[in-house]
Amino acid sequence: MDQVTGGTLVARVCVDSPLPHLDRLFDYRVPPELAGHVAVGCRVKVRFSGQSLTGFIIELATGTDFGGRLADLAKVVSPEPVLTGEIRELSRAVADRYAGNLADVLRLAVPPRQARVEAEPPREPAGAIAAPSAEGWREYEPGDAFLTSLAHGHAPRAVWGAMPGEDWPRRLAEAAAATAAGERGSVLVVPDQRDLDRLDAALTEVLGPDRHVVLSAAMGPSKRYRAFLAAARGAVRVVAGTRAAMFAPVADLGLVAMWDAGDDSHAEPRAPYPHARTVLLTRAQQSGTAVLLGGFTRTTDDQLLLDTGWARELAAPRERLRERAPHIVPVGDDDQLAKDPQAAAARLPTVTWTAAKEALAAGLPVLVQTPRRGYIPVVSCQRCRARARCPHCAGPLSLPSAKADPVCRWCGRSAHDYSCPSCGGHRLRAAVIGAARTADELGRAFPEVPVRTSGGDRVLDAVPAGPALVVATPGAEPVAEEGYGAVLLLDAWALLTRADLRAGEETLRRWMTAAALARPARDGGRVVVVADGGLAVVQALLRWDAGWFAARELAERASLRFPPIARMASLTGPPEALADLLRYAELPPGTEELGPVPVDERTERLLLRAPRTKGAELASALHGAAGVRSARKAVDPVRVQVDPAELL
């Protein structure tokens, strides 16, 4: 067959296929009738192995190295170049970082096409944005210098520890405005829709109307694609969103920012499972942009950036921090036990009732954080204390209300005639108390005060001023109009005893996020944490020093050779499939195998640990081995996750 001659237009296409051995570009001849419609970054249809598949044109050339006869492009789906050059390079880097396919990353980066939206008149370009006031950033050292550097087109990199009560959406909006004043764009990523709504309002106030767009998977296909096109066409310089915005095609990008990087919502649950922080830092490294990682607390990954000098700290002076922080009291140390001998066994010790009573008497709301939602989410046999499980599927039983029968949390079946298989007992006791039960108890104790719950599928955004009891699960705490008079942090053991490498880090993040909603101590704000004051995580909360705890955790991770000091990969699949993958993987020197451990009856999980400098080699080896298996049509898949969110 004839080779394509020079001068013939050739499109190099990334075909939308999940198979690792097809993770490369394929050359197609562009027929003359389509030559005027193709563009780098546009969507096309191609014939591939007898199928019609979609893809993106990555390159256009006038020749090919392919020795055979090229197939023709079947169709130009749209001439709109939705895949920009920067996002192409970023997607390839992310795929390589996470041992994934370029096609999988592009599926995350570019939303599905909406033809009707594409046909709409282009959005008018947003007007100029003036540099904002640096008043709020002057509270931090060196906050005003950071904002000035953004406005002058420089690329500072900072880890920002926000003070309690900080209007963080406005600070992020001011950073975006300063970047826009320097004629560059910004991408701002927050954990969830509630945070995005607050940031959206702050951006509108600081930038002015119609000068930014929001990107979120919850928007709906048309709205999301309309916002995406506004950024891709250069109509707006500022994009805010949840992790869906991490690939936003902003022209002349000058700033990537993230709020609360430790939140699990930033981890993408679809292959190749990238974390939004890593994507943004990769963008910053490739494009030379500024970085702002903010939160009330700090992750070990943030601390590593500071320790290596890659980023600088933005923090308030200690004296100013003490003025803004609430008064924090632990329940469980010797002084408290001497005053209240029953505090060690009580879920709501006397000091918590006192704090709630005083705040309510002052006309202020009280926030109660409890780690579990529901009434009694976990029950056990009253006689032998064995965990109560469903007789049909062995799932955990729970009590949805005070008068309801036990219900399985897996299959939903009622177990009204439950009998313990260990001792034959029929009575149940609470193993874990949920938010609904906590609200019930507090409602009886304060019958004249309204009780509100926030969590699960009913999350409150805000609560008005005035006395009220607000019971919330972590991450669902509503903002109080004038701040909470008291914040009660219950069931510390449920957070601290989780089988998770990041249990302490996550506990502090949840506590500080809730405590930051309290009023300053000078205005009566009080936080009570039901935990031993001698614990390191409690000490960090008492001193409001997330940096100290992050440095301590990072040192411990270094001694154990765990992330972020080392690079880890999780392999999950049948034992035979794991062995098959490892047979083809040329792992870098120094790689250790941890496990495998059983996941279920036919699946195991194996961890691979490699030095941080060998991370790219580890990912490449795993992707190559997966490619060999897919080419050989291996039946059982292996799920490969590099640096998974959960290690244990």
Side-chain angles (χ1 to χ4, degrees):
M1 286 184 281
D2 296 331
Q3 186 174 3
V4 172
T5 59
T8 300
L9 191 59
V10 175
R12 296 193 172 103
V13 179
C14 174
V15 179
D16 190 1
S17 170
L19 300 177
H21 72 284
L22 300 179
D23 185 28
R24 57 190 178 89
L25 303 184
F26 294 88
D27 288 0
Y28 286 86
R29 174 179 173 271
V30 180
E33 63 270 20
L34 297 181
H37 302 282
V38 296
V40 173
C42 75
R43 290 182 170 99
V44 293
K45 284 271 192 180
V46 297
R47 296 295 297 176
F48 193 92
S49 297
Q51 304 177 66
S52 177
L53 299 179
T54 59
F56 290 97
I57 294 181
I58 304 300
E59 298 175 23
L60 287 172
T62 55
T64 179
D65 294 330
F66 181 64
R69 182 178 179 181
L70 292 183
D72 286 353
L73 277 182
K75 179 183 178 182
V76 177
V77 177
S78 168
E80 184 83 35
V82 290
L83 181 58
T84 65
E86 189 230 345
I87 300 303
R88 287 197 305 272
E89 294 179 10
L90 173 66
S91 298
R92 183 69 265 175
V94 170
D96 293 342
R97 167 68 170 75
Y98 285 97
N101 296 348
L102 175 60
D104 288 337
V105 179
L106 294 181
R107 211 174 297 122
L108 301 175
V110 183
R113 179 179 182 245
Q114 302 294 313
R116 182 179 58 82
V117 175
E118 228 174 59
E120 294 173 355
R123 178 169 172 166
E124 290 294 324
I129 298 173
S133 167
E135 185 66 28
W137 279 104
R138 289 195 183 99
E139 299 272 14
Y140 301 91
E141 298 175 345
D144 53 349
F146 176 77
L147 220 62
T148 301
S149 183
L150 291 177
H152 288 157
H154 300 151
R157 300 185 292 240
V159 174
W160 168 41
M163 289 188 290
E166 178 62 272
D167 186 1
W168 61 264
R170 187 174 183 87
R171 299 290 87 80
L172 288 182
E174 290 166 352
T179 306
E183 299 185 351
R184 296 185 303 162
S186 301
V187 172
L188 316 174
V189 177
V190 295
D192 54 42
Q193 190 63 44
R194 288 195 314 149
D195 291 332
L196 183 55
D197 290 342
R198 294 183 62 192
L199 180 56
D200 183 22
L203 286 168
T204 301
E205 184 178 347
V206 173
L207 306 181
D210 301 323
R211 282 173 168 78
H212 77 282
V213 293
V214 296
L215 272 177
S216 167
M219 295 172 62
S222 295
K223 288 185 177 180
R224 181 182 177 188
Y225 195 59
R226 188 175 293 112
F228 176 87
L229 287 181
R233 293 169 174 172
V236 294
R237 291 186 181 275
V238 180
V239 176
T242 54
R243 66 173 182 270
M246 59 186 172
F247 291 103
V250 175
D252 301 319
L253 186 64
L255 170 68
V256 293
M258 171 177 281
W259 175 256
D260 198 7
D263 194 296
D264 292 341
S265 301
H266 289 304
E268 174 59 54
R270 293 171 293 177
Y273 319 105
H275 194 284
R277 174 183 51 225
T278 302
V279 174
L280 294 181
L281 294 183
T282 303
R283 290 191 78 167
Q285 193 73 15
Q286 289 186 337
S287 303
T289 67
V291 175
L292 179 60
L293 300 175
F296 292 117
T297 185
R298 184 185 298 173
T299 67
T300 50
D301 298 85
D302 297 339
Q303 186 63 41
L304 184 61
L305 296 178
L306 294 175
D307 288 353
T308 57
W310 194 87
R312 290 188 61 185
E313 182 181 15
L314 284 178
R318 293 301 302 178
E319 53 274 15
R320 182 61 179 140
L321 188 58
R322 283 192 290 269
E323 293 177 5
R324 294 278 293 271
H327 178 57
I328 304 174
V329 179
V331 178
D333 56 19
D334 292 340
D335 289 342
Q336 287 292 340
L337 291 176
K339 298 175 184 177
D340 183 7
Q342 303 302 316
R347 180 166 179 266
L348 290 169
T350 302
V351 67
T352 62
W353 293 106
T354 302
K357 184 177 180 181
E358 291 176 353
L360 294 171
L364 300 173
V366 175
L367 174 64
V368 183
Q369 185 196 73
T370 182
R372 304 292 182 91
R373 61 189 178 95
Y375 192 78
I376 301 181
V378 180
V379 291
S380 60
C381 174
Q382 190 177 68
R383 183 187 298 174
C384 70
R385 301 297 194 265
R387 181 69 58 86
R389 296 194 172 275
C390 175
H392 300 284
C393 71
L397 294 180
S398 65
L399 286 176
S401 67
K403 299 180 180 179
D405 291 327
V407 174
C408 178
R409 295 174 62 191
W410 287 2
C411 69
R413 296 185 183 182
S414 174
H416 64 277
D417 55 350
Y418 174 80
S419 176
C420 178
S422 300
C423 68
H426 296 281
R427 302 187 67 182
L428 298 173
R429 68 186 297 273
V432 175
I433 300 297
R437 172 65 179 270
T438 303
D440 194 18
E441 293 176 355
L442 292 170
R444 290 195 298 268
F446 301 99
E448 304 300 323
V449 178
V451 180
R452 300 181 174 91
T453 59
S454 180
D457 55 0
R458 187 175 178 274
V459 177
L460 303 178
D461 294 329
V463 293
L469 289 162
V470 182
V471 182
T473 53
E477 302 91 350
V479 176
E481 188 174 309
E482 298 178 359
Y484 289 99
V487 174
L488 313 180
L489 306 174
L490 307 183
D491 301 330
W493 59 270
L495 294 173
L496 291 170
T497 59
R498 293 181 308 145
D500 189 339
L501 178 68
R502 300 177 176 87
E505 182 181 316
E506 176 65 6
T507 298
L508 183 62
R509 187 187 73 82
R510 293 182 176 188
W511 283 352
M512 294 186 78
T513 299
L517 300 176
R519 296 160 66 91
R522 65 173 184 268
D523 296 331
R526 192 175 184 188
V527 175
V528 180
V529 53
V530 184
D532 184 357
L535 297 174
V537 64
V538 181
Q539 282 293 309
L541 176 66
L542 296 178
R543 302 203 302 259
W544 203 271
D545 195 348
W548 168 79
F549 187 78
R552 188 178 185 275
E553 284 283 291
L554 186 62
E556 184 175 345
R557 303 271 184 90
S559 66
L560 297 173
R561 288 181 297 131
F562 276 125
I565 297 300
R567 188 63 53 81
M568 301 283 284
S570 169
L571 311 180
T572 307
E576 300 80 9
L578 294 181
D580 192 39
L581 180 74
L582 292 177
R583 186 179 304 118
Y584 298 118
E586 298 182 8
L587 300 177
T591 303
E592 301 174 75
E593 296 184 16
L594 307 178
V597 296
V599 175
D600 53 38
E601 292 182 358
R602 63 180 304 273
T603 306
E604 293 182 345
R605 189 186 193 203
L606 175 70
L607 293 178
L608 299 177
R609 176 169 59 191
R612 188 174 181 83
T613 55
K614 300 292 184 181
E617 294 179 42
L618 176 63
S620 177
L622 293 175
H623 185 55
V628 173
R629 294 190 76 241
S630 69
R632 294 168 61 93
K633 296 181 171 57
V635 176
D636 293 320
V638 175
R639 183 181 188 183
V640 178
Q641 289 180 274
V642 176
D643 289 344
E646 294 183 0
L647 287 175
L648 305 175

Coordinates of all heavy atoms in Angstrom, one line a residue, residues 414-454:
S414 N -35.7 -4.4 56.9 CA -36.0 -4.2 58.4 C -35.6 -5.5 59.1 O -35.7 -6.6 58.6 CB -37.5 -3.9 58.6 OG -37.8 -3.9 60.0
A415 N -35.1 -5.4 60.3 CA -34.8 -6.5 61.2 C -35.5 -6.4 62.5 O -34.9 -6.4 63.6 CB -33.3 -6.6 61.4
H416 N -36.9 -6.4 62.4 CA -37.7 -6.1 63.6 C -37.6 -7.3 64.6 O -37.8 -7.2 65.8 CB -39.1 -5.9 63.3 CG -39.8 -7.0 62.6 ND1 -39.7 -7.3 61.3 CD2 -40.6 -8.0 63.1 CE1 -40.4 -8.3 60.9 NE2 -40.9 -8.8 62.1
D417 N -37.3 -8.5 64.1 CA -37.2 -9.7 65.0 C -35.7 -10.1 65.1 O -35.4 -11.3 65.2 CB -38.0 -10.8 64.4 CG -37.6 -11.2 63.0 OD1 -36.8 -10.4 62.4 OD2 -38.1 -12.2 62.5
Y418 N -34.8 -9.2 65.2 CA -33.4 -9.5 65.3 C -33.0 -10.3 66.5 O -33.5 -10.1 67.6 CB -32.6 -8.2 65.4 CG -31.1 -8.4 65.6 CD1 -30.3 -8.8 64.5 CD2 -30.5 -8.3 66.8 CE1 -28.9 -9.0 64.7 CE2 -29.2 -8.5 67.0 CZ -28.4 -8.9 66.0 OH -27.0 -9.1 66.2
S419 N -32.2 -11.3 66.2 CA -31.6 -12.1 67.3 C -30.1 -12.3 67.1 O -29.7 -12.6 66.0 CB -32.3 -13.5 67.3 OG -31.7 -14.4 68.2
C420 N -29.4 -12.0 68.1 CA -27.9 -12.0 68.1 C -27.4 -13.4 67.8 O -27.7 -14.3 68.6 CB -27.3 -11.5 69.3 SG -25.5 -11.5 69.4
P421 N -26.6 -13.7 66.7 CA -26.2 -15.0 66.4 C -25.1 -15.5 67.4 O -24.9 -16.7 67.5 CB -25.5 -14.9 65.0 CG -25.2 -13.4 64.9 CD -26.2 -12.7 65.7
S422 N -24.5 -14.6 68.2 CA -23.5 -15.0 69.2 C -24.1 -15.5 70.5 O -23.7 -16.5 71.1 CB -22.5 -13.8 69.4 OG -21.9 -13.4 68.2
C423 N -25.1 -14.7 71.0 CA -25.6 -15.0 72.3 C -27.1 -15.2 72.4 O -27.7 -15.6 73.4 CB -25.2 -14.0 73.4 SG -26.0 -12.4 73.1
G424 N -27.8 -14.9 71.2 CA -29.2 -15.1 71.2 C -30.0 -13.9 71.7 O -31.3 -13.9 71.8
G425 N -29.3 -12.8 72.1 CA -30.0 -11.7 72.7 C -30.8 -10.9 71.7 O -30.5 -10.9 70.5
H426 N -31.9 -10.2 72.2 CA -32.8 -9.5 71.3 C -32.8 -8.0 71.4 O -33.3 -7.3 70.6 CB -34.3 -10.0 71.5 CG -34.5 -11.5 71.2 ND1 -34.6 -11.9 69.9 CD2 -34.5 -12.6 72.0 CE1 -34.8 -13.2 69.9 NE2 -34.7 -13.6 71.2
R427 N -32.1 -7.5 72.5 CA -32.0 -6.1 72.7 C -30.8 -5.5 72.1 O -29.7 -6.1 72.2 CB -32.1 -5.8 74.2 CG -33.4 -6.4 74.8 CD -33.6 -6.0 76.3 NE -33.8 -4.6 76.4 CZ -33.9 -3.9 77.5 NH1 -33.9 -4.6 78.7 NH2 -34.1 -2.6 77.5
L428 N -30.9 -4.3 71.7 CA -29.8 -3.6 71.0 C -29.4 -2.3 71.8 O -30.2 -1.8 72.5 CB -30.1 -3.2 69.6 CG -30.5 -4.3 68.6 CD1 -31.0 -3.8 67.3 CD2 -29.2 -5.2 68.4
R429 N -28.1 -1.9 71.6 CA -27.6 -0.7 72.2 C -26.9 0.1 71.2 O -26.5 -0.4 70.1 CB -26.7 -1.0 73.4 CG -25.4 -1.6 72.9 CD -24.5 -2.1 74.1 NE -24.1 -1.0 74.9 CZ -23.0 -0.2 74.7 NH1 -22.2 -0.5 73.6 NH2 -22.6 0.8 75.5
A430 N -26.7 1.4 71.5 CA -26.1 2.3 70.5 C -24.6 2.0 70.6 O -24.0 2.1 71.6 CB -26.4 3.7 70.8
A431 N -24.0 1.8 69.4 CA -22.5 1.7 69.3 C -21.9 3.0 68.9 O -20.8 3.4 69.3 CB -22.1 0.6 68.3
V432 N -22.7 3.7 68.1 CA -22.3 5.1 67.6 C -23.5 5.9 67.6 O -24.6 5.5 67.2 CB -21.7 5.0 66.2 CG1 -21.4 6.4 65.7 CG2 -20.4 4.2 66.2
I433 N -23.4 7.1 68.1 CA -24.5 8.1 68.2 C -24.5 9.0 66.9 O -23.4 9.5 66.6 CB -24.5 8.9 69.4 CG1 -24.6 8.0 70.7 CG2 -25.7 9.9 69.4 CD1 -25.9 7.2 70.8
G434 N -25.6 9.2 66.3 CA -25.6 10.0 65.1 C -26.1 11.4 65.3 O -26.5 11.8 66.5
A435 N -26.1 12.2 64.3 CA -26.5 13.7 64.4 C -27.9 13.8 64.8 O -28.3 14.7 65.6 CB -26.2 14.4 63.1
A436 N -28.8 12.9 64.3 CA -30.2 13.0 64.6 C -30.5 12.7 66.1 O -31.3 13.4 66.7 CB -31.0 12.1 63.7
R437 N -29.8 11.7 66.6 CA -30.0 11.4 68.1 C -29.4 12.5 68.9 O -30.0 12.9 69.9 CB -29.2 10.1 68.4 CG -29.1 9.7 69.8 CD -30.5 9.4 70.5 NE -30.3 9.1 71.9 CZ -30.2 7.8 72.3 NH1 -30.1 6.8 71.5 NH2 -30.0 7.6 73.6
T438 N -28.3 13.1 68.5 CA -27.7 14.2 69.2 C -28.7 15.4 69.2 O -28.9 16.1 70.3 CB -26.4 14.7 68.6 OG1 -25.5 13.6 68.6 CG2 -25.8 15.8 69.4
A439 N -29.3 15.7 68.1 CA -30.3 16.8 68.0 C -31.5 16.5 68.9 O -32.0 17.4 69.6 CB -30.8 16.9 66.6
D440 N -31.9 15.2 69.0 CA -33.0 14.8 69.9 C -32.7 15.0 71.3 O -33.5 15.6 72.1 CB -33.3 13.3 69.6 CG -34.6 12.9 70.2 OD1 -35.5 13.8 70.5 OD2 -34.9 11.7 70.4
E441 N -31.4 14.7 71.7 CA -31.0 14.9 73.1 C -31.0 16.4 73.5 O -31.4 16.8 74.6 CB -29.7 14.2 73.4 CG -29.6 12.7 73.3 CD -28.2 12.2 73.4 OE1 -27.3 13.0 73.5 OE2 -28.1 10.9 73.4
L442 N -30.4 17.2 72.6 CA -30.3 18.6 72.9 C -31.6 19.3 72.9 O -31.9 20.2 73.6 CB -29.3 19.2 71.8 CG -27.9 18.8 71.9 CD1 -27.1 19.3 70.7 CD2 -27.3 19.4 73.2
G443 N -32.5 18.8 72.0 CA -33.9 19.4 72.0 C -34.6 19.2 73.3 O -35.4 20.0 73.7
R444 N -34.4 18.0 73.9 CA -35.1 17.8 75.2 C -34.4 18.6 76.3 O -35.1 19.0 77.2 CB -35.0 16.3 75.5 CG -35.9 15.4 74.6 CD -36.0 14.0 75.3 NE -34.8 13.3 75.4 CZ -34.3 12.5 74.5 NH1 -35.0 12.3 73.3 NH2 -33.1 11.9 74.6
A445 N -33.1 18.8 76.2 CA -32.4 19.6 77.2 C -32.8 21.1 77.1 O -32.8 21.8 78.1 CB -30.9 19.4 77.1
F446 N -33.0 21.6 75.9 CA -33.3 23.0 75.7 C -34.6 23.1 74.9 O -34.6 23.4 73.7 CB -32.2 23.7 74.9 CG -30.8 23.7 75.6 CD1 -29.9 22.7 75.3 CD2 -30.5 24.5 76.6 CE1 -28.7 22.7 75.9 CE2 -29.3 24.5 77.3 CZ -28.4 23.5 76.9
P447 N -35.7 22.8 75.5 CA -37.0 22.7 74.8 C -37.5 24.0 74.2 O -38.3 24.0 73.2 CB -38.0 22.3 75.9 CG -37.4 22.7 77.2 CD -35.9 22.6 77.0
E448 N -37.0 25.2 74.6 CA -37.5 26.4 74.1 C -36.6 26.9 72.9 O -36.9 28.0 72.3 CB -37.5 27.5 75.2 CG -38.3 27.1 76.4 CD -39.7 26.9 76.0 OE1 -40.3 27.7 75.2 OE2 -40.4 26.0 76.6
V449 N -35.6 26.2 72.6 CA -34.6 26.6 71.5 C -34.8 25.8 70.3 O -34.9 24.6 70.3 CB -33.2 26.4 72.0 CG1 -32.2 26.9 71.0 CG2 -33.0 27.3 73.3
P450 N -34.9 26.4 69.1 CA -35.0 25.7 67.8 C -33.7 24.8 67.6 O -32.6 25.3 67.8 CB -35.2 26.7 66.8 CG -34.6 28.0 67.4 CD -34.9 27.9 68.8
V451 N -33.9 23.6 67.1 CA -32.8 22.7 66.8 C -32.8 22.5 65.2 O -33.9 22.1 64.7 CB -33.0 21.4 67.5 CG1 -31.8 20.5 67.1 CG2 -33.0 21.6 69.0
R452 N -31.7 22.7 64.6 CA -31.6 22.5 63.2 C -30.5 21.4 62.9 O -29.5 21.4 63.6 CB -31.2 23.8 62.5 CG -32.3 24.9 62.6 CD -31.8 26.1 61.8 NE -32.9 27.2 61.9 CZ -33.0 28.1 62.8 NH1 -32.0 28.2 63.7 NH2 -33.9 29.0 62.7
T453 N -30.7 20.6 62.0 CA -29.7 19.6 61.6 C -29.2 19.9 60.2 O -29.9 20.3 59.3 CB -30.2 18.2 61.7 OG1 -31.3 18.0 60.8 CG2 -30.6 17.8 63.1
S454 N -27.9 19.6 59.9 CA -27.3 19.8 58.6 C -26.4 18.6 58.3 O -25.4 18.3 59.1 CB -26.5 21.1 58.6 OG -26.0 21.3 57.3

